[in-house]
Each structure stands twice: as structure tokens, then as C-alpha cells.
Amino acid sequence: MRSGPDFTSLEVGGVRARALTAASHILATRGPEKMSLRAIAESAGIGTTSIYHYFANKDELLLNLALMGFRDLHRQIVRFQTSPEYDNAMQASARAFFDFAETHPALFSLMFSERLMARHVSLRDAEYETFLAYQAVVEADERMPAGQRPNVAYALWALGRGIAAIMSSYPDGKLPPEIAEKLFTGASYLINRRE
């Protein structure tokens, strides 16, 4: 069920799609610091002026990558909910969240970037829409009292955001294996508890 960012909503072979694909690759392999519009243009095989037609600056391009990341995460959360390999939709949704974090660490860190979040309401809205997909399954889970379900949804989402903050504190956005194991195992325990 692992996949890269989904650029299907973009014009196939278009300049915008090629620029975002190149930017996604640079972000994943070299990090946001190494991403310049010139590097993206070279990687995409397009002119820098063509990129400026679609993105005013690097910040706008990063915003678009983060927005696409939230759309992909939202789709993944919904898709995992119907997977027979999980005991319940809440477990499946959490696995979708953590799977996305593990397979796209730099994009995941970018999506939850405090700097981008503070400057772009569209990114906060995209996160909220994604959260609603997760909240719906938490509120439908009968393992906890109905009155606590909205609170649990927010608390578990905050846990995920905390993991994103920890990931972004590492230069490459990737957690050392021993820390990742502790975080994801602990989060799984909290989500899957039956008591």
C-alpha cells in the first residue's frame, strides 16, 4: 500500500507536474535546504522561467508539495480503513498515518512545518480536512466512552504532529531506527489498547 506522492490531478507531462515531481524527488533525497528553483528546473528538464509561471517562489512550491501531501495522506487514511488486515478502522487509519510518515519523512515534516502552517491558511485547512477523516473513525470506535471520542481523536492527532516535529528536528527528516521504533510502537500500543 506504499506509494509516492500522487500527481494524477496535475496535467500529465505538464510543466507544473514535472516541477512538482522534481521538487518531490529533491525533497526526499536531498532535503528542503538543497531545493532551489534552479535545481528543480534542471531536474525537471525545464526552464527556470517556466517554473515562475506556476510558482512565485520556493515557498509557494513548498506549500503546493505540502498540500499535495495532505491530499495523499487523506486518501491513504480512507483507503486503509477498508483493508482487511487491520482489526478496526481506527487502527488502520493510524497505520496509514504512520506509514506515510515512515515512507515520506521529508514530505511529512514539510506538511507539518510550523513556518508554512503559520503563513498559509490553505495548509491548515488541508490538515483539518485530513484530520476529519481520522476523527470520523475514532468517533465510531466503541472501545472508549462516546463523550471522550472527540478528545481522543485530537490527542492522537497531536501525537502524530509531535512525531512530525521530532522527525523535522533531524537534518534529513528521518528518525534514527531506535527512536522510530519507540515512537511507533508506543503510539500503536495506545491506539490498539482494548482496556
Side-chain angles (χ1 to χ4, degrees):
M1 291 196 158
R2 294 171 192 240
S3 63
D6 181 8
F7 299 107
T8 56
S9 62
L10 301 173
E11 174 189 336
V12 177
V15 172
R16 186 171 191 274
R18 288 170 45 204
L20 286 169
T21 299
S24 177
H25 177 73
I26 292 170
L27 176 67
T29 58
R30 296 188 257 169
E33 301 82 25
K34 301 289 186 190
M35 190 184 325
S36 68
L37 294 182
R38 176 175 287 149
I40 293 165
E42 287 175 12
S43 179
I46 55 179
T48 306
T49 55
S50 296
I51 291 178
Y52 281 110
H53 178 72
Y54 293 97
F55 309 102
N57 51 41
K58 179 181 170 182
D59 191 65
E60 188 176 329
L61 194 139
L62 290 174
L63 170 63
N64 277 269
L65 280 178
L67 290 169
M68 289 175 56
F70 273 116
R71 284 192 297 270
D72 289 345
L73 177 57
H74 184 275
R75 278 193 292 271
Q76 187 162 311
I77 287 172
V78 171
R79 187 173 68 243
F80 271 51
Q81 290 171 7
T82 59
S83 176
E85 66 185 275
Y86 301 102
D87 293 337
N88 56 65
M90 188 169 117
Q91 179 188 46
S93 297
R95 185 64 252 164
F97 188 92
F98 295 133
D99 184 70
F100 194 92
E102 290 175 294
T103 57
H104 309 296
L107 178 59
F108 189 76
S109 293
L110 178 69
M111 290 160 53
F112 290 97
S113 163
E114 291 178 18
R115 184 184 65 79
L116 282 178
M117 283 279 186
R119 294 170 58 181
H120 300 286
V121 69
S122 61
L123 190 58
R124 294 190 301 272
D125 290 345
E127 179 197 11
Y128 185 69
E129 288 299 316
T130 305
F131 165 72
L132 290 177
Y134 184 70
Q135 182 182 31
V137 298
V138 173
E139 290 196 16
D141 195 300
E142 296 179 357
R143 292 178 293 164
M144 62 205 89
Q148 291 300 318
R149 292 176 195 162
N151 300 333
V152 169
Y154 275 103
L156 291 175
W157 192 262
L159 173 65
R161 286 190 105 215
I163 290 172
I166 292 169
M167 288 173 75
S168 67
S169 69
Y170 287 87
D172 61 357
K174 190 167 175 86
L175 293 170
E178 65 278 3
I179 294 175
E181 176 68 22
K182 288 179 182 182
L183 284 172
F184 294 129
T185 300
S188 292
Y189 171 77
L190 292 174
I191 291 164
N192 298 322
R193 280 186 68 186
R194 299 206 182 282
E195 299 173 8

